[in-house]
DNA sequence: AATCGGCGGCTTTTT
DNA sequence: GCCGCCGATT
């Protein structure tokens, strides 16, 4: 017993009081309001470990959900450290991934064979998950088939459908006013779209949650099973839950039963409202779950006080917050630094220069620094500056590897292997590599399939029945059908993902066809496909290792299962999913998990991507009204959400600031080109909200901004220059704003292609102003865009 | 069947 | 300013 106590103390020793309270909280709902850097992951992992080791809870009774795979992986790793192999019996995964697994299990369950859940009709356990691109394709098809008025962009319809799914509404449950033409379009398309998905044995991301909710609502027997199993549910980043996710939680943990539901989050860090997340979920939690205990974690262990003060100064302007204030017993630390720049290039240069400086001082490594921006479009200039200044950097952006065309092709083949009904995948690769099946043939195939009510794959089985096809087309189609059919048969037998990938690459000749092309680019693509095979091999190895670990767990000294629950399924959710399906699931839901921030490199990312990370030094660029806060949020007062958009921008700013441990640089440009146009934005309102005394003095003189830029010079080679204060020479020919800059006639100019010349006449304004130039000799008169000219 | 050019669009994007 | 889509062209 003494030993156990010591072990327990070990588990609690470096926790502060509220953290301990959350870890030791007994039964019933608990809301942990956890400010930035206050150790929330630590609370969740310690609580899980405590439940298992000191409260006799079986690990398989615990469901821990996160939003991102990265968060899930980190949590799992920490739990393995705390619990050893037993941790593999826990369910630690994302909402989507656990929903997907529960759905697959349910579809497989013999009791479900005649499942009465209409929304699930047509789905088999090997359903595939459609991504963004697939969705859009399907939307277009749905629009055609439902014959809707093309008054809306497919993208917009998709977005609206997504919204409906996030709100847990099926097509029939959509609330549409008859006069609302657009709403009618959305609803009709939504109906057709769902039909197409089911016909293809496919789901989209939204379906994973929505269909599970529908299933649990209509099948009390299934619901009961999971309610009984998961006696402890923990949710991370709860501020980002959307209504379906919340509904799912309420089904699994009904409020009236005082469930052991622990949600952890920070309303101030809710930045995904536009994706359907609802801050109300966290704000109203105590109401929805009567008797919920609330614990606040307000001690920040990450940032110096100055940084926290700045962050607080910004976030306090939001109304409708849970009252709390972060504090730290860390020193005040360095002042914040404001970087004023003439334009976005100067800004990027300055950031690169400061990064060099910090690195040279020796206290902060490249890997401890990050540059944030509001929109991806801003990254280009920053990247360029980093390259020229020889600052090693990584661009942190989602899931690059699996987004490459050739990898997606390979994935499409794999999905067809497990699910030949997947029309979107078939259309993607029917002529990849080129096998002479052109648009006309495909069109006829699609028509035929529609008329016969079968999938494209099935339709291609008897191509001679398709009207209008010549014999060559018939032959090619049946060849293609044979290929898919053979791959499908192989997949049924295959015991691991890698052999299936290998077989697929062999039979399709994807790699060879790229190699015959011979260009550098196609060689890289071929290489990517081999890497894809490598990923499958690695996946198999990991899976084997996890299986071993799970089988050796299980013999702990936890309490016995009560006899009435003896038939409860306690196996890992991943059990029984065939390897190839599991691999595909990982590709769809996890993406490129290994593409981690490079060691020894500065990280460049959007503010959204920065959530959950921390760095010694942070640069926030583009601190201008219109950039950050984004222009869309600027005129938000009268919009339907009453300034919620601005509130979200402010939370984003708070997230950005609180990523910094020691140094925070905020940077703005007096003007920047946006959509090819020079824009003069006022400094961000968030800057004005930060008390002056937190800043050192703005260190640079702000050079006068250019008004118009008739000549954009080629990039200077910044890296070759010294580090002194610089005056960029890009706009040495600043003009006065009239026409393309006063009278330019007669001016000597140089053009990259045409050489030297003299301006004859000019017309137009702004970036697309054109001039007629006499280049003399063979070239003669040319009308060119003024931007492409250098001063001669 | 592949390529070229014009046109529109355009925040963020865990899954 | 850049990308992606669509239609037209060879």
């Amino acid at each position: 017993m003494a030993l156990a106590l010591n072990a327990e103390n070990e588990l609690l020793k470096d926790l502060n009081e509220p953290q301990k309270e959350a870890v030791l909280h007994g039964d019933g709902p608990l809301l942990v309001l956890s400010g930035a850097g206050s150790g929330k992951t630590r609370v969740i992992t310690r609580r899980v470990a405590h439940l298992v080791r000191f409260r006799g809870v079986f690990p398989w009774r615990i469901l821990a959900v996160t939003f991102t795979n990265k968060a899930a992986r980190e949590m799992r790793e920490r739990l393995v450290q705390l619990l050893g192999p037993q941790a593999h019996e826990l369910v630690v995964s994302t909402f989507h991934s656990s929903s997907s697994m529960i759905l697959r299990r349910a579809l497989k369950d013999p009791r479900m064979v005649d499942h009465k859940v209409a929304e699930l009709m047509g789905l088999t356990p090997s359903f595939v998950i459609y991504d963004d691109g697939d969705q859009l394709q399907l939307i277009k098809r749905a629009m055609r088939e439902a014959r809707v008025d093309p008054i809306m962009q497919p993208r917009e319809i998709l977005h609206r459908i997504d919204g409906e799914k996030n709100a847990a509404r099926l097509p029939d449950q959509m609330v549409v006013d008859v006069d609302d033409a657009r709403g009618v379009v959305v609803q009709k398309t939504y109906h057709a779209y769902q039909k197409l998905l089911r016909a293809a044995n496919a789901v989209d991301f939204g379906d994973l949650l929505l269909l599970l909710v529908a299933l649990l609502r209509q099948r009390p027997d299934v619901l009961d099973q999971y309610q009984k199993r998961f006696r402890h549910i923990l949710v991370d980043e709860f501020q980002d839950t959307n209504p379906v996710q919340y509904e799912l939680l309420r089904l699994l943990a009904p409020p009236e039963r005082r469930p052991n539901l622990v949600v952890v989050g920070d309303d101030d860090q809710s930045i995904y409202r536009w994706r359907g997340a609802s801050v109300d979920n966290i704000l109203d939690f105590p109401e929805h779950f009567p008797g919920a205990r609330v614990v606040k974690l307000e001690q920040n262990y990450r940032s110096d006080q100055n940084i926290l003060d700045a962050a607080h100064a910004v976030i306090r302007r939001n109304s409708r917050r849970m009252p709390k204030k972060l504090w730290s017993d860390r020193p005040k630390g360095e002042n914040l630094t404001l970087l004023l720049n003439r334009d976005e290039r100067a800004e990027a240069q300055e950031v690169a220069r400061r990064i060099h400086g910090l690195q040279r001082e020796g206290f902060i490594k490249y890997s401890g620094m990050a540059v944030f921006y509001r929109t991806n479009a801003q990254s280009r200039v920053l990247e360029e500056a980093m390259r020229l200044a020889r600052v090693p950097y990584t661009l942190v952006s989602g899931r690059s590897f699996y987004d490459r065309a050739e990898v997606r092709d390979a994935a499409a083949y794999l999905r067809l292997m497990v699910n030949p009904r997947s029309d979107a995948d078939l259309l993607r690769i029917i002529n990849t590599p080129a096998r002479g099946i052109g648009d006309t043939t495909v069109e006829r195939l699609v028509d035929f399939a529609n008329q016969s009510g079968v999938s494209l794959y099935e339709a291609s089985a008897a191509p001679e029945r398709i009207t209008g096809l010549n014999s060559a087309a018939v032959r090619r189609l049946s060849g293609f059908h044979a290929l898919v059919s053979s791959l499908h048969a192989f997949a049924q037998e295959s015991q691991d993902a890698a052999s299936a990938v290998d077989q697929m690459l062999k039979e399709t000749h994807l790699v060879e066809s790229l190699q015959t092309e011979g260009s550098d680019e196609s060689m890289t693509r071929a290489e990517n496909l081999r890497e894809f095979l490598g990923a499958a091999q690695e996946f198999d190895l990991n899976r084997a290792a996890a299986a071993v670990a799970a089988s050796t767990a299980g013999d702990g000294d936890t309490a016995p299962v009560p006899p009435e629950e003896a038939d409860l399924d306690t196996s890992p959710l991943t059990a029984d999913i065939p390897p190839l399906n599991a691999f595909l699931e990982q590709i769809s839901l996890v993406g490129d998990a290994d593409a981690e921030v490079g060691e020894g490199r500065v990280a460049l990312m959007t503010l959204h991507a920065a959530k959950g990370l921390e760095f010694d030094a942070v640069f926030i660029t583009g601190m201008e009204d219109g950039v950050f806060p984004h222009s869309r949020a600027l005129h938000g007062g009268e919009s339907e959400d009453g300034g919620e958009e601005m509130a979200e921008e402010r939370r984003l700013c708070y997230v950005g600031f609180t990523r910094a441990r020691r140094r925070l640089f905020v940077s703005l440009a007096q003007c920047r080109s946006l959509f090819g146009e020079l824009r003069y934005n006022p400094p961000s309102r968030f800057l004005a909200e930060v008390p002056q005394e937190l800043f050192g003095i703005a260190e640079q003189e702000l050079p006068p901004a250019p008004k118009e830029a008739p000549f954009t010079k080629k990039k200077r080679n910044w890296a070759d220059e010294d580090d002194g204060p610089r005056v960029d020479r890009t706009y040495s020919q600043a003009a006065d704003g009239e026409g393309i800059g006063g009278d330019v006639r007669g001016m000597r100019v140089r053009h990259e292609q045409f050489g030297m010349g003299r301006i004859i006449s000019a017309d137009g304004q702004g970036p697309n102003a054109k001039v007629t130039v006499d280049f003399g000799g063979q070239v003669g008169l040319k009308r060119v865009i003024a931007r492409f000219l250098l001063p001669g």
Side-chain angles (χ1 to χ4, degrees):
Chain A
M1 198 58 209
L3 193 71
L5 262 181
N6 283 341
E8 184 170 9
N9 286 336
E10 185 69 20
L11 204 55
L12 302 174
K13 72 164 188 263
D14 46 1
L15 300 177
N16 64 29
E17 275 316 308
Q19 287 176 332
K20 264 184 213 160
E21 194 185 337
V23 168
L24 296 174
H25 165 76
D27 290 328
L30 168 69
L31 166 62
V32 181
L33 281 174
S34 117
S38 64
K40 70 181 162 76
T41 315
R42 171 177 290 196
V43 164
I44 297 181
T45 50
R46 298 294 177 92
R47 179 173 172 84
V48 170
H50 190 261
L51 287 173
V52 173
R53 291 186 56 189
F54 302 103
R55 287 179 59 194
V57 177
F58 283 114
W60 48 262
R61 283 206 180 283
I62 300 176
L63 171 66
V65 233
T66 62
F67 273 85
T68 67
N69 295 291
K70 198 163 147 240
R73 195 175 60 241
E74 278 164 15
M75 194 176 290
R76 214 175 296 123
E77 278 162 13
R78 285 168 81 162
L79 283 164
V80 169
Q81 285 167 16
L82 291 170
L83 286 172
Q86 263 196 310
H88 293 283
E89 288 181 280
L90 299 162
V91 179
V92 181
S93 74
T94 63
F95 270 105
H96 288 85
S97 159
S98 42
S99 297
S100 164
M101 292 183 296
I102 294 176
L103 269 181
R104 282 190 209 276
R105 287 158 71 98
L107 290 166
K108 211 174 199 174
D109 190 329
R111 289 172 302 174
M112 284 291 296
V113 167
D114 65 329
H115 52 74
K116 309 241 165 44
V117 184
E119 287 75 28
L120 262 45
M121 289 304 288
L123 281 187
T124 78
S126 27
F127 65 76
V128 294
I129 301 167
Y130 277 0
D131 67 20
D132 240 34
D134 303 322
Q135 288 183 52
L136 203 61
Q137 220 199 329
L138 218 60
I139 290 282
K140 289 176 187 164
R141 202 171 146 194
M143 286 171 74
R144 278 195 300 275
E145 285 177 22
R147 296 176 201 287
V148 297
D149 270 345
I151 51 169
M152 291 171 80
Q153 298 286 333
R155 266 245 155 264
E156 197 187 347
I157 299 185
L158 175 57
H159 185 250
R160 293 270 302 263
I161 292 179
D162 222 39
E164 293 300 316
K165 292 189 172 184
N166 286 155
R169 285 190 293 263
L170 289 158
D172 293 327
Q173 295 160 339
M174 239 188 105
V175 189
V176 180
D177 195 289
V178 273
D179 302 329
D180 174 11
R182 296 160 63 83
V184 171
V185 163
V186 173
Q187 189 174 36
K188 279 173 82 176
T189 313
Y190 188 8
H191 258 297
Y193 172 74
Q194 291 301 94
K195 243 179 88 185
L196 287 174
L197 277 173
R198 292 307 88 86
N201 194 20
V203 300
D204 62 16
F205 288 126
D207 277 345
L208 288 173
L209 302 156
L210 182 62
L211 298 187
L212 180 57
V213 164
L215 167 72
L216 296 180
R217 276 182 184 155
Q218 288 170 56
R219 292 288 301 243
D221 54 329
V222 180
L223 176 61
D224 185 59
Q225 196 184 323
Y226 289 100
Q227 282 177 343
K228 282 205 174 109
R229 170 165 179 176
F230 293 123
R231 286 294 164 74
H232 289 271
I233 300 180
L234 300 95
V235 187
D236 193 11
E237 306 277 16
F238 186 67
Q239 75 280 356
D240 290 331
T241 45
N242 63 33
V244 212
Q245 289 159 337
Y246 199 32
E247 179 57 21
L248 184 58
L249 290 174
R250 273 186 297 205
L251 282 163
L252 292 174
E256 66 279 7
R257 290 194 207 164
R258 270 184 60 73
N260 300 315
L261 174 64
V262 177
V263 301
V264 184
D266 180 2
D267 51 314
D268 289 335
Q269 293 186 63
S270 158
I271 56 174
Y272 285 103
R273 201 188 64 97
W274 53 275
R275 281 292 269 126
S278 159
V279 209
D280 295 344
N281 290 162
I282 196 165
L283 296 174
D284 300 339
F285 185 83
E287 248 172 77
H288 291 164
F289 286 84
R293 176 150 36 151
V294 180
V295 172
K296 290 183 191 179
L297 306 181
E298 292 172 297
Q299 181 175 2
N300 172 292
Y301 294 94
R302 178 187 297 155
S303 311
D304 288 345
Q305 192 63 48
N306 276 343
I307 292 169
L308 291 183
D309 287 348
H312 183 251
V314 173
I315 199 68
R316 64 186 284 270
R317 308 263 171 163
N318 273 359
S319 45
R320 264 200 116 230
R321 306 173 49 220
M322 291 268 189
K324 62 185 147 3
K325 185 175 179 184
L326 283 182
W327 61 276
S328 159
D329 57 11
R330 305 194 45 77
K332 249 175 98 53
E334 302 253 0
N335 284 328
L336 275 61
T337 311
L338 178 62
L339 305 176
L340 302 171
N341 307 281
R342 198 183 55 259
D343 56 35
E344 75 272 21
R345 287 156 162 261
E347 172 180 62
Q349 265 179 84
E350 181 61 20
V351 169
R353 200 175 72 89
R354 296 286 178 150
I355 288 173
H356 260 315
L358 288 175
Q359 201 262 345
R360 223 170 303 140
E361 281 170 29
F363 299 110
I364 302 182
K365 298 179 297 185
Y366 283 134
S367 59
M369 304 186 225
V371 184
F372 302 156
Y373 36 84
R374 178 63 179 80
T375 67
N376 280 312
Q378 291 164 252
S379 71
R380 170 179 254 95
V381 185
L382 287 164
E383 264 194 280
E384 218 163 69
M386 297 302 140
R387 263 203 308 277
L388 287 166
R390 304 193 205 297
V391 170
Y393 71 90
T394 3
L395 198 68
V396 179
S397 65
R399 21 173 310 145
S400 46
F401 182 68
Y402 290 107
D403 281 338
R404 293 182 195 156
E406 64 279 11
V407 178
R408 295 181 60 137
D409 290 342
Y413 271 111
L414 288 187
R415 298 203 291 194
L416 271 183
M417 280 172 91
V418 301
N419 173 203
R421 267 161 57 195
S422 180
D423 287 357
D425 289 309
L426 186 140
L427 287 171
R428 181 178 179 93
I429 49 78
I430 190 164
N431 202 30
T432 310
R435 47 173 75 89
I437 301 179
D439 292 345
T440 349
T441 309
V442 171
E443 207 174 291
R444 288 183 181 142
L445 175 68
V446 171
D447 284 347
F448 178 81
N450 281 347
Q451 280 158 28
S452 338
V454 297
S455 69
L456 297 176
Y457 170 71
E458 289 162 297
S460 70
E464 65 283 350
R465 287 169 39 201
I466 303 174
T467 44
L469 288 187
N470 60 33
S471 64
V474 169
R475 192 160 26 83
R476 288 167 182 156
L477 267 186
S478 55
F480 175 72
H481 182 268
L483 168 71
V484 176
S485 150
S486 144
L487 289 174
H488 179 49
F490 189 93
Q492 309 286 69
E493 305 300 317
S494 83
Q495 295 304 305
D496 62 299
S499 67
V501 174
D502 192 47
Q503 183 73 15
M504 180 274 292
L505 291 176
K506 276 203 188 89
E507 289 198 37
T508 59
H509 308 292
L510 277 176
V511 178
E512 290 97 308
S513 78
L514 285 170
Q515 277 169 338
T516 11
E517 219 178 287
S519 67
D520 281 357
E521 203 199 321
S522 65
M523 291 320 240
T524 317
R525 290 161 154 231
E527 193 44 51
N528 286 337
L529 288 180
R530 280 187 283 268
E531 203 180 309
F532 185 66
L533 178 60
Q537 284 161 342
E538 202 185 315
F539 174 83
D540 288 330
L541 288 175
N542 287 339
R543 198 171 146 94
V548 170
S551 71
T552 56
D555 41 314
D557 50 350
T558 38
V561 188
E564 70 272 17
E565 292 184 4
D567 58 344
L568 203 61
D569 181 358
T570 65
S571 62
L573 293 185
T574 43
D576 314 328
I577 298 182
L580 183 53
N581 296 52
F583 179 57
L584 281 171
E585 176 114 352
Q586 177 176 297
I587 294 174
S588 312
L589 294 181
V590 181
D592 191 5
D594 297 326
E596 279 309 304
V597 178
E599 277 305 297
R601 292 163 175 281
V602 175
L604 267 54
M605 67 187 87
T606 64
L607 282 151
H608 282 87
K611 198 179 71 167
L613 305 176
E614 58 179 87
F615 300 89
D616 293 319
V618 163
F619 295 82
I620 303 185
T621 62
M623 291 293 295
E624 301 136 43
D625 265 19
V627 177
F628 187 33
H630 193 270
S631 53
R632 290 265 189 130
L634 243 35
H635 18 74
E638 67 280 0
S639 75
E640 81 283 354
D641 66 5
E644 249 313 302
E645 281 192 68
M646 183 56 75
E648 181 138 320
E649 296 288 313
R650 192 171 272 108
R651 292 191 290 265
L652 194 55
C653 184
Y654 176 79
V655 168
F657 281 12
T658 53
R659 300 306 96 192
R661 284 192 281 251
R662 304 286 161 268
R663 301 295 305 272
L664 178 57
F665 296 82
V666 285
S667 159
L668 62 88
Q670 204 174 8
C671 69
R672 72 174 63 230
S673 57
L674 207 64
F675 301 143
E677 226 180 316
L678 257 200
R679 295 278 291 270
Y680 295 78
N681 297 311
S684 171
R685 60 194 63 197
F686 302 148
L687 285 179
E689 293 166 6
V690 178
Q692 279 291 317
E693 63 267 22
L694 296 180
F695 287 106
I697 306 149
E699 291 173 35
Q700 310 107 284
E701 286 282 311
L702 189 62
K707 286 184 182 152
E708 198 82 36
F711 305 107
T712 302
K713 270 190 59 178
K714 295 285 286 182
K715 295 171 263 307
R716 298 293 303 189
N717 201 356
W718 304 321
D720 295 343
E721 296 178 15
D722 66 22
D723 287 321
R726 75 201 63 233
V727 177
D728 189 281
R729 275 156 280 173
T730 306
Y731 297 105
S732 50
Q733 296 278 344
D736 64 10
E738 181 193 306
I740 60 159
D743 193 353
V744 292
R745 277 173 295 183
M747 192 179 274
R748 288 175 60 76
V749 291
R750 195 154 48 83
H751 187 270
E752 192 145 62
Q753 197 184 336
F754 304 130
M756 298 297 292
R758 202 175 280 279
I759 296 181
I760 302 298
S761 65
D763 56 281
Q765 284 205 349
N768 293 319
K770 294 191 178 63
V771 290
T772 307
V773 180
D774 182 4
F775 289 100
Q778 301 229 307
V779 184
L781 293 183
K782 288 272 178 205
R783 195 152 162 280
V784 295
I785 294 177
R787 280 176 295 129
F788 298 140
L789 294 171
L790 308 176

